[in-house]
Amino acid sequence: DAKTTQPPSMDCAEGRAANLPCNHSTISGNEYVYWYRQIHSQGPQYIIHGLKNNETNEMASLIITEDRKSSTLILPHATLRDTAVYYCIVRYTPLVFGKGTRLSVIA
Amino acid sequence: AAGVIQSPRHLIKEKRETATLKCYPIPRHDTVYWYQQGPGQDPQFLISFYEKMQSDKGSIPDRFSAQQFSDYHSELNMSSLELGDSALYFCASSSTGWGGGEQYFGPGTRLTVT
């Protein structure tokens, strides 16, 4: 299974873009990159996923490097409600949650 | 939009008792997953079912069993409860095929064993 590495914590000012990095240097060619988040004690929430191309939805954008060894989740205008633990996952069935990044959005 | 329903939301049991947690997936989702999240820990996969058959198994204790019924709801049965079983238990559902990695989680059942 591909392993992921994420910074344990990050701060972001409210209204600014939050850029959350993830390293997955051992990802295989057919593995997708998935991002989930968990707001305190709530069920994890699916955000976005991608294979090679950059992806965007109503929640976030996902930028995957050309060699697929890393990716960045971008929350374009972070709000206080985006404070959560963000998980980058490259094995999806079942989901294998690592330590994630605890994002704190500060007013 | 309909979400994953879990019941009960809170459950208090004593050691050595049994507990049954229920999960109702999103309509037309045919795969159900169970995860356990201990205090201060990340969610850990327990077991999953696709079309009523067990599809994958994680770190589920032998004291636990689960099944998926004809209406696709699932139940997690836990026997001989131990203090260490106190945790949040999440159920997630997904549809098969290309979108299978998108799992939608319920609000969880908080189990406290005393």
Side-chain angles (χ1 to χ4, degrees):
Chain A
D1 295 341
K3 298 293 189 289
T4 61
T5 304
Q6 299 178 250
S9 64
M10 294 181 63
D11 292 338
C12 178
E14 189 178 21
R16 303 297 294 270
N19 296 283
L20 293 95
C22 178
N23 287 321
H24 33 77
S25 58
T26 59
I27 192 170
S28 62
N30 61 351
E31 287 185 311
Y32 286 76
V33 179
Y34 281 79
W35 283 83
Y36 281 76
R37 72 180 182 184
Q38 185 176 29
I39 298 170
H40 180 62
S41 294
Q42 296 182 20
Q45 178 186 23
Y46 164 81
I47 301 173
I48 198 168
H49 72 279
L51 182 63
K52 295 181 183 178
N53 301 320
N54 298 338
E55 302 289 344
T56 295
N57 63 20
E58 64 278 4
M59 289 184 66
S61 295
L62 174 60
I63 308 297
I64 302 173
T65 58
E66 192 168 343
D67 63 7
R68 300 204 338 115
K69 293 184 177 181
S70 66
S71 60
T72 301
L73 178 74
I74 301 172
L75 307 178
H77 305 287
T79 71
L80 298 178
R81 287 191 297 269
D82 293 321
T83 292
V85 178
Y86 287 76
Y87 296 97
C88 169
I89 299 171
V90 294
R91 179 188 176 186
Y92 61 83
T93 307
L95 294 174
V96 178
F97 290 88
K99 289 301 177 186
T101 296
R102 184 172 299 276
L103 175 69
S104 298
V105 180
I106 303 166
Chain B
V4 175
I5 297 171
Q6 291 188 247
S7 68
R9 294 292 309 279
H10 301 272
L11 190 59
I12 300 175
K13 292 285 186 179
E14 295 187 354
K15 284 194 304 183
R16 294 179 289 278
E17 286 191 320
T18 61
T20 297
L21 310 186
K22 297 185 178 182
C23 170
Y24 297 86
I26 292 172
R28 291 179 295 281
H29 280 194
D30 51 20
T31 306
V32 168
Y33 309 81
W34 287 96
Y35 293 84
Q36 177 192 57
Q37 186 172 26
Q41 298 181 2
D42 303 298
Q44 297 294 315
F45 170 70
L46 292 178
I47 196 167
S48 63
F49 292 87
Y50 164 65
E51 287 289 348
K52 291 148 282 185
M53 298 289 290
Q54 181 182 308
S55 55
D56 210 341
K57 192 173 183 179
S59 51
I60 183 169
D62 293 340
R63 299 177 289 106
F64 294 7
S65 65
Q67 58 182 323
Q68 185 180 31
F69 295 85
S70 57
D71 64 352
Y72 294 100
H73 94 272
S74 178
E75 295 183 3
L76 178 66
N77 299 293
M78 311 160 69
S79 63
S80 303
L81 287 169
E82 301 173 357
L83 295 179
D85 297 327
S86 294
L88 271 168
Y89 290 84
F90 292 107
C91 171
S93 72
S94 73
S95 56
T96 56
W98 189 82
E102 295 175 40
Q103 296 182 20
Y104 295 88
F105 284 74
T109 294
R110 183 176 296 278
L111 173 66
T112 303
V113 181
T114 62

PDB file of all heavy atoms in Angstrom, chain A residues 65-90:
ATOM      1  N   THR A  65       1.104  16.525  -8.678  1.00  0.00           N
ATOM      2  CA  THR A  65       2.305  16.760  -9.474  1.00  0.00           C
ATOM      3  C   THR A  65       2.373  15.773 -10.625  1.00  0.00           C
ATOM      4  O   THR A  65       1.764  14.704 -10.605  1.00  0.00           O
ATOM      5  CB  THR A  65       3.567  16.629  -8.609  1.00  0.00           C
ATOM      6  OG1 THR A  65       3.610  15.317  -8.019  1.00  0.00           O
ATOM      7  CG2 THR A  65       3.587  17.682  -7.521  1.00  0.00           C
ATOM      8  N   GLU A  66       3.158  16.141 -11.634  1.00  0.00           N
ATOM      9  CA  GLU A  66       3.218  15.326 -12.848  1.00  0.00           C
ATOM     10  C   GLU A  66       3.736  13.921 -12.555  1.00  0.00           C
ATOM     11  O   GLU A  66       3.289  12.945 -13.166  1.00  0.00           O
ATOM     12  CB  GLU A  66       4.122  16.008 -13.878  1.00  0.00           C
ATOM     13  CG  GLU A  66       4.022  15.405 -15.271  1.00  0.00           C
ATOM     14  CD  GLU A  66       4.701  16.264 -16.324  1.00  0.00           C
ATOM     15  OE1 GLU A  66       4.957  17.452 -16.050  1.00  0.00           O
ATOM     16  OE2 GLU A  66       4.975  15.729 -17.403  1.00  0.00           O
ATOM     17  N   ASP A  67       4.670  13.802 -11.615  1.00  0.00           N
ATOM     18  CA  ASP A  67       5.195  12.477 -11.279  1.00  0.00           C
ATOM     19  C   ASP A  67       4.307  11.741 -10.267  1.00  0.00           C
ATOM     20  O   ASP A  67       4.585  10.601  -9.904  1.00  0.00           O
ATOM     21  CB  ASP A  67       6.625  12.564 -10.744  1.00  0.00           C
ATOM     22  CG  ASP A  67       6.733  13.361  -9.442  1.00  0.00           C
ATOM     23  OD1 ASP A  67       5.671  13.740  -8.872  1.00  0.00           O
ATOM     24  OD2 ASP A  67       7.847  13.629  -8.994  1.00  0.00           O
ATOM     25  N   ARG A  68       3.238  12.393  -9.836  1.00  0.00           N
ATOM     26  CA  ARG A  68       2.228  11.828  -8.919  1.00  0.00           C
ATOM     27  C   ARG A  68       2.785  11.492  -7.541  1.00  0.00           C
ATOM     28  O   ARG A  68       2.129  10.799  -6.774  1.00  0.00           O
ATOM     29  CB  ARG A  68       1.580  10.593  -9.521  1.00  0.00           C
ATOM     30  CG  ARG A  68       0.891  10.873 -10.823  1.00  0.00           C
ATOM     31  CD  ARG A  68      -0.217   9.944 -11.251  1.00  0.00           C
ATOM     32  NE  ARG A  68      -0.213   8.630 -10.671  1.00  0.00           N
ATOM     33  CZ  ARG A  68      -1.166   8.184  -9.851  1.00  0.00           C
ATOM     34  NH1 ARG A  68      -2.168   8.958  -9.507  1.00  0.00           N
ATOM     35  NH2 ARG A  68      -1.104   6.957  -9.384  1.00  0.00           N
ATOM     36  N   LYS A  69       3.938  11.994  -7.219  1.00  0.00           N
ATOM     37  CA  LYS A  69       4.503  11.668  -5.911  1.00  0.00           C
ATOM     38  C   LYS A  69       4.032  12.595  -4.803  1.00  0.00           C
ATOM     39  O   LYS A  69       4.310  12.365  -3.622  1.00  0.00           O
ATOM     40  CB  LYS A  69       6.034  11.684  -6.002  1.00  0.00           C
ATOM     41  CG  LYS A  69       6.579  10.558  -6.874  1.00  0.00           C
ATOM     42  CD  LYS A  69       8.084  10.527  -6.872  1.00  0.00           C
ATOM     43  CE  LYS A  69       8.592   9.345  -7.691  1.00  0.00           C
ATOM     44  NZ  LYS A  69      10.067   9.266  -7.703  1.00  0.00           N
ATOM     45  N   SER A  70       3.335  13.637  -5.158  1.00  0.00           N
ATOM     46  CA  SER A  70       2.779  14.516  -4.130  1.00  0.00           C
ATOM     47  C   SER A  70       1.558  15.235  -4.668  1.00  0.00           C
ATOM     48  O   SER A  70       1.316  15.265  -5.884  1.00  0.00           O
ATOM     49  CB  SER A  70       3.827  15.534  -3.661  1.00  0.00           C
ATOM     50  OG  SER A  70       4.161  16.416  -4.708  1.00  0.00           O
ATOM     51  N   SER A  71       0.794  15.771  -3.754  1.00  0.00           N
ATOM     52  CA  SER A  71      -0.404  16.503  -4.131  1.00  0.00           C
ATOM     53  C   SER A  71      -0.664  17.597  -3.100  1.00  0.00           C
ATOM     54  O   SER A  71      -0.101  17.582  -1.991  1.00  0.00           O
ATOM     55  CB  SER A  71      -1.614  15.574  -4.241  1.00  0.00           C
ATOM     56  OG  SER A  71      -1.892  14.932  -3.018  1.00  0.00           O
ATOM     57  N   THR A  72      -1.508  18.542  -3.476  1.00  0.00           N
ATOM     58  CA  THR A  72      -1.891  19.632  -2.588  1.00  0.00           C
ATOM     59  C   THR A  72      -3.395  19.826  -2.666  1.00  0.00           C
ATOM     60  O   THR A  72      -3.952  19.931  -3.763  1.00  0.00           O
ATOM     61  CB  THR A  72      -1.189  20.953  -2.974  1.00  0.00           C
ATOM     62  OG1 THR A  72       0.221  20.767  -2.903  1.00  0.00           O
ATOM     63  CG2 THR A  72      -1.600  22.081  -2.034  1.00  0.00           C
ATOM     64  N   LEU A  73      -4.017  19.849  -1.517  1.00  0.00           N
ATOM     65  CA  LEU A  73      -5.436  20.180  -1.424  1.00  0.00           C
ATOM     66  C   LEU A  73      -5.534  21.670  -1.152  1.00  0.00           C
ATOM     67  O   LEU A  73      -4.883  22.180  -0.245  1.00  0.00           O
ATOM     68  CB  LEU A  73      -6.104  19.394  -0.300  1.00  0.00           C
ATOM     69  CG  LEU A  73      -7.583  19.695  -0.093  1.00  0.00           C
ATOM     70  CD1 LEU A  73      -8.406  19.060  -1.204  1.00  0.00           C
ATOM     71  CD2 LEU A  73      -8.052  19.213   1.272  1.00  0.00           C
ATOM     72  N   ILE A  74      -6.354  22.355  -1.914  1.00  0.00           N
ATOM     73  CA  ILE A  74      -6.509  23.794  -1.746  1.00  0.00           C
ATOM     74  C   ILE A  74      -7.949  24.119  -1.383  1.00  0.00           C
ATOM     75  O   ILE A  74      -8.885  23.776  -2.115  1.00  0.00           O
ATOM     76  CB  ILE A  74      -6.113  24.553  -3.039  1.00  0.00           C
ATOM     77  CG1 ILE A  74      -4.657  24.243  -3.414  1.00  0.00           C
ATOM     78  CG2 ILE A  74      -6.317  26.055  -2.852  1.00  0.00           C
ATOM     79  CD1 ILE A  74      -4.256  24.795  -4.763  1.00  0.00           C
ATOM     80  N   LEU A  75      -8.108  24.759  -0.225  1.00  0.00           N
ATOM     81  CA  LEU A  75      -9.391  25.341   0.157  1.00  0.00           C
ATOM     82  C   LEU A  75      -9.276  26.821  -0.174  1.00  0.00           C
ATOM     83  O   LEU A  75      -8.528  27.540   0.491  1.00  0.00           O
ATOM     84  CB  LEU A  75      -9.665  25.132   1.640  1.00  0.00           C
ATOM     85  CG  LEU A  75      -9.561  23.699   2.170  1.00  0.00           C
ATOM     86  CD1 LEU A  75      -9.821  23.676   3.669  1.00  0.00           C
ATOM     87  CD2 LEU A  75     -10.518  22.789   1.439  1.00  0.00           C
ATOM     88  N   PRO A  76      -9.979  27.300  -1.181  1.00  0.00           N
ATOM     89  CA  PRO A  76      -9.675  28.638  -1.705  1.00  0.00           C
ATOM     90  C   PRO A  76      -9.932  29.786  -0.731  1.00  0.00           C
ATOM     91  O   PRO A  76      -9.195  30.770  -0.728  1.00  0.00           O
ATOM     92  CB  PRO A  76     -10.556  28.747  -2.946  1.00  0.00           C
ATOM     93  CG  PRO A  76     -11.593  27.708  -2.789  1.00  0.00           C
ATOM     94  CD  PRO A  76     -10.999  26.617  -1.962  1.00  0.00           C
ATOM     95  N   HIS A  77     -10.959  29.680   0.059  1.00  0.00           N
ATOM     96  CA  HIS A  77     -11.291  30.749   1.012  1.00  0.00           C
ATOM     97  C   HIS A  77     -11.692  30.080   2.326  1.00  0.00           C
ATOM     98  O   HIS A  77     -12.859  29.803   2.568  1.00  0.00           O
ATOM     99  CB  HIS A  77     -12.422  31.625   0.490  1.00  0.00           C
ATOM    100  CG  HIS A  77     -12.171  32.208  -0.868  1.00  0.00           C
ATOM    101  ND1 HIS A  77     -11.274  33.240  -1.082  1.00  0.00           N
ATOM    102  CD2 HIS A  77     -12.672  31.883  -2.082  1.00  0.00           C
ATOM    103  CE1 HIS A  77     -11.247  33.528  -2.381  1.00  0.00           C
ATOM    104  NE2 HIS A  77     -12.081  32.726  -3.012  1.00  0.00           N
ATOM    105  N   ALA A  78     -10.702  29.801   3.137  1.00  0.00           N
ATOM    106  CA  ALA A  78     -10.962  29.032   4.349  1.00  0.00           C
ATOM    107  C   ALA A  78     -11.868  29.803   5.315  1.00  0.00           C
ATOM    108  O   ALA A  78     -11.735  31.025   5.487  1.00  0.00           O
ATOM    109  CB  ALA A  78      -9.646  28.694   5.037  1.00  0.00           C
ATOM    110  N   THR A  79     -12.795  29.070   5.923  1.00  0.00           N
ATOM    111  CA  THR A  79     -13.649  29.641   6.955  1.00  0.00           C
ATOM    112  C   THR A  79     -13.417  28.881   8.260  1.00  0.00           C
ATOM    113  O   THR A  79     -12.783  27.818   8.275  1.00  0.00           O
ATOM    114  CB  THR A  79     -15.137  29.545   6.574  1.00  0.00           C
ATOM    115  OG1 THR A  79     -15.545  28.159   6.651  1.00  0.00           O
ATOM    116  CG2 THR A  79     -15.387  30.075   5.167  1.00  0.00           C
ATOM    117  N   LEU A  80     -13.957  29.420   9.344  1.00  0.00           N
ATOM    118  CA  LEU A  80     -13.785  28.764  10.635  1.00  0.00           C
ATOM    119  C   LEU A  80     -14.343  27.343  10.604  1.00  0.00           C
ATOM    120  O   LEU A  80     -13.845  26.440  11.293  1.00  0.00           O
ATOM    121  CB  LEU A  80     -14.474  29.581  11.734  1.00  0.00           C
ATOM    122  CG  LEU A  80     -13.929  30.995  11.939  1.00  0.00           C
ATOM    123  CD1 LEU A  80     -14.729  31.721  13.029  1.00  0.00           C
ATOM    124  CD2 LEU A  80     -12.454  30.969  12.302  1.00  0.00           C
ATOM    125  N   ARG A  81     -15.373  27.123   9.780  1.00  0.00           N
ATOM    126  CA  ARG A  81     -15.984  25.797   9.689  1.00  0.00           C
ATOM    127  C   ARG A  81     -15.081  24.773   8.993  1.00  0.00           C
ATOM    128  O   ARG A  81     -15.383  23.578   9.001  1.00  0.00           O
ATOM    129  CB  ARG A  81     -17.311  25.881   8.955  1.00  0.00           C
ATOM    130  CG  ARG A  81     -18.424  26.516   9.764  1.00  0.00           C
ATOM    131  CD  ARG A  81     -19.771  26.306   9.067  1.00  0.00           C
ATOM    132  NE  ARG A  81     -19.823  26.964   7.770  1.00  0.00           N
ATOM    133  CZ  ARG A  81     -20.256  28.215   7.597  1.00  0.00           C
ATOM    134  NH1 ARG A  81     -20.680  28.917   8.638  1.00  0.00           N
ATOM    135  NH2 ARG A  81     -20.284  28.750   6.393  1.00  0.00           N
ATOM    136  N   ASP A  82     -13.994  25.256   8.383  1.00  0.00           N
ATOM    137  CA  ASP A  82     -13.051  24.333   7.745  1.00  0.00           C
ATOM    138  C   ASP A  82     -12.021  23.784   8.725  1.00  0.00           C
ATOM    139  O   ASP A  82     -11.175  22.970   8.333  1.00  0.00           O
ATOM    140  CB  ASP A  82     -12.338  25.028   6.581  1.00  0.00           C
ATOM    141  CG  ASP A  82     -13.278  25.349   5.435  1.00  0.00           C
ATOM    142  OD1 ASP A  82     -14.156  24.509   5.139  1.00  0.00           O
ATOM    143  OD2 ASP A  82     -13.140  26.436   4.845  1.00  0.00           O
ATOM    144  N   THR A  83     -12.052  24.223   9.964  1.00  0.00           N
ATOM    145  CA  THR A  83     -11.150  23.672  10.971  1.00  0.00           C
ATOM    146  C   THR A  83     -11.469  22.195  11.163  1.00  0.00           C
ATOM    147  O   THR A  83     -12.597  21.822  11.481  1.00  0.00           O
ATOM    148  CB  THR A  83     -11.300  24.421  12.303  1.00  0.00           C
ATOM    149  OG1 THR A  83     -10.815  25.760  12.141  1.00  0.00           O
ATOM    150  CG2 THR A  83     -10.527  23.730  13.412  1.00  0.00           C
ATOM    151  N   ALA A  84     -10.472  21.336  10.903  1.00  0.00           N
ATOM    152  CA  ALA A  84     -10.698  19.891  10.900  1.00  0.00           C
ATOM    153  C   ALA A  84      -9.363  19.176  10.725  1.00  0.00           C
ATOM    154  O   ALA A  84      -8.325  19.818  10.489  1.00  0.00           O
ATOM    155  CB  ALA A  84     -11.629  19.497   9.749  1.00  0.00           C
ATOM    156  N   VAL A  85      -9.395  17.859  10.818  1.00  0.00           N
ATOM    157  CA  VAL A  85      -8.243  17.039  10.452  1.00  0.00           C
ATOM    158  C   VAL A  85      -8.453  16.590   9.012  1.00  0.00           C
ATOM    159  O   VAL A  85      -9.514  16.049   8.679  1.00  0.00           O
ATOM    160  CB  VAL A  85      -8.088  15.819  11.375  1.00  0.00           C
ATOM    161  CG1 VAL A  85      -6.901  14.958  10.918  1.00  0.00           C
ATOM    162  CG2 VAL A  85      -7.892  16.267  12.815  1.00  0.00           C
ATOM    163  N   TYR A  86      -7.454  16.827   8.173  1.00  0.00           N
ATOM    164  CA  TYR A  86      -7.550  16.506   6.756  1.00  0.00           C
ATOM    165  C   TYR A  86      -6.663  15.296   6.454  1.00  0.00           C
ATOM    166  O   TYR A  86      -5.488  15.270   6.797  1.00  0.00           O
ATOM    167  CB  TYR A  86      -7.116  17.702   5.913  1.00  0.00           C
ATOM    168  CG  TYR A  86      -8.145  18.796   5.919  1.00  0.00           C
ATOM    169  CD1 TYR A  86      -8.290  19.635   7.023  1.00  0.00           C
ATOM    170  CD2 TYR A  86      -9.014  18.964   4.840  1.00  0.00           C
ATOM    171  CE1 TYR A  86      -9.269  20.619   7.050  1.00  0.00           C
ATOM    172  CE2 TYR A  86      -9.981  19.951   4.850  1.00  0.00           C
ATOM    173  CZ  TYR A  86     -10.107  20.773   5.958  1.00  0.00           C
ATOM    174  OH  TYR A  86     -11.076  21.742   5.970  1.00  0.00           O
ATOM    175  N   TYR A  87      -7.252  14.310   5.815  1.00  0.00           N
ATOM    176  CA  TYR A  87      -6.563  13.071   5.509  1.00  0.00           C
ATOM    177  C   TYR A  87      -6.355  12.913   4.003  1.00  0.00           C
ATOM    178  O   TYR A  87      -7.312  13.029   3.228  1.00  0.00           O
ATOM    179  CB  TYR A  87      -7.365  11.866   6.006  1.00  0.00           C
ATOM    180  CG  TYR A  87      -7.550  11.778   7.499  1.00  0.00           C
ATOM    181  CD1 TYR A  87      -8.712  12.239   8.105  1.00  0.00           C
ATOM    182  CD2 TYR A  87      -6.568  11.209   8.308  1.00  0.00           C
ATOM    183  CE1 TYR A  87      -8.894  12.139   9.481  1.00  0.00           C
ATOM    184  CE2 TYR A  87      -6.744  11.106   9.680  1.00  0.00           C
ATOM    185  CZ  TYR A  87      -7.901  11.573  10.252  1.00  0.00           C
ATOM    186  OH  TYR A  87      -8.082  11.469  11.610  1.00  0.00           O
ATOM    187  N   CYS A  88      -5.135  12.624   3.643  1.00  0.00           N
ATOM    188  CA  CYS A  88      -4.781  12.267   2.273  1.00  0.00           C
ATOM    189  C   CYS A  88      -4.667  10.747   2.236  1.00  0.00           C
ATOM    190  O   CYS A  88      -3.939  10.158   3.035  1.00  0.00           O
ATOM    191  CB  CYS A  88      -3.448  12.936   1.919  1.00  0.00           C
ATOM    192  SG  CYS A  88      -2.661  12.390   0.409  1.00  0.00           S
ATOM    193  N   ILE A  89      -5.365  10.091   1.336  1.00  0.00           N
ATOM    194  CA  ILE A  89      -5.426   8.622   1.318  1.00  0.00           C
ATOM    195  C   ILE A  89      -5.204   8.144  -0.100  1.00  0.00           C
ATOM    196  O   ILE A  89      -5.811   8.646  -1.044  1.00  0.00           O
ATOM    197  CB  ILE A  89      -6.800   8.137   1.826  1.00  0.00           C
ATOM    198  CG1 ILE A  89      -7.024   8.588   3.276  1.00  0.00           C
ATOM    199  CG2 ILE A  89      -6.929   6.623   1.701  1.00  0.00           C
ATOM    200  CD1 ILE A  89      -8.424   8.349   3.787  1.00  0.00           C
ATOM    201  N   VAL A  90      -4.319   7.182  -0.246  1.00  0.00           N
ATOM    202  CA  VAL A  90      -4.107   6.628  -1.591  1.00  0.00           C
ATOM    203  C   VAL A  90      -4.535   5.177  -1.691  1.00  0.00           C
ATOM    204  O   VAL A  90      -4.359   4.548  -2.712  1.00  0.00           O
ATOM    205  CB  VAL A  90      -2.654   6.784  -2.060  1.00  0.00           C
ATOM    206  CG1 VAL A  90      -2.325   8.245  -2.252  1.00  0.00           C
ATOM    207  CG2 VAL A  90      -1.689   6.117  -1.119  1.00  0.00           C
TER     208      VAL A  90
END
